[in-house]
């Protein structure tokens, strides 16, 4: 779906430079189609993004519809 595709693109764009400059973990609580808990980890070496809880405690937790999430990105 659109949410999974968005996270696939984000994962492919994560670089060590983004991790060094951001140093944050973002958790998304999404409702609607493709919803659930998703994350972008820009703190842990290598960074990552995907479905489920982040590997470390999130610095920011955002709740929104999956439609709004896809629009935001």
């Amino acid at each position: 779906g659109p949410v999974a595709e968005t996270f696939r693109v984000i994962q492919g764009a994560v670089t060590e430079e983004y991790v060094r400059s951001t140093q944050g973990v973002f958790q998304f609580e999404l409702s609607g189609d493709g919803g659930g808990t998703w994350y972008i980890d820009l703190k842990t070496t290598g960074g990552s993004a995907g479905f489920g809880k982040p590997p470390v405690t999130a610095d920011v937790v955002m709740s929104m519809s999956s439609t709004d999430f896809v629009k935001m990105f």
Side-chain angles (χ1 to χ4, degrees), residues 26-37:
F26 306 89
Q27 181 173 319
F28 299 90
E29 298 296 337
L30 304 180
S31 60
D33 289 343
T37 301

Side-chain angles (χ1 to χ4, degrees), residues 7-25:
F7 276 95
R8 187 190 66 74
V9 170
I10 291 168
Q11 175 66 47
V14 170
T15 66
E16 199 59 50
E17 183 178 328
Y18 285 142
V19 172
R20 266 194 311 277
S21 64
T22 305
Q23 288 297 295
V25 178

Side-chain angles (χ1 to χ4, degrees), residues 14 19 24-26 39-50 54-56:
V14 170
V19 172
V25 178
F26 306 89
Y39 72 92
I40 302 171
D41 176 2
L42 296 175
K43 186 181 264 184
T44 306
T45 302
S48 61
V56 296

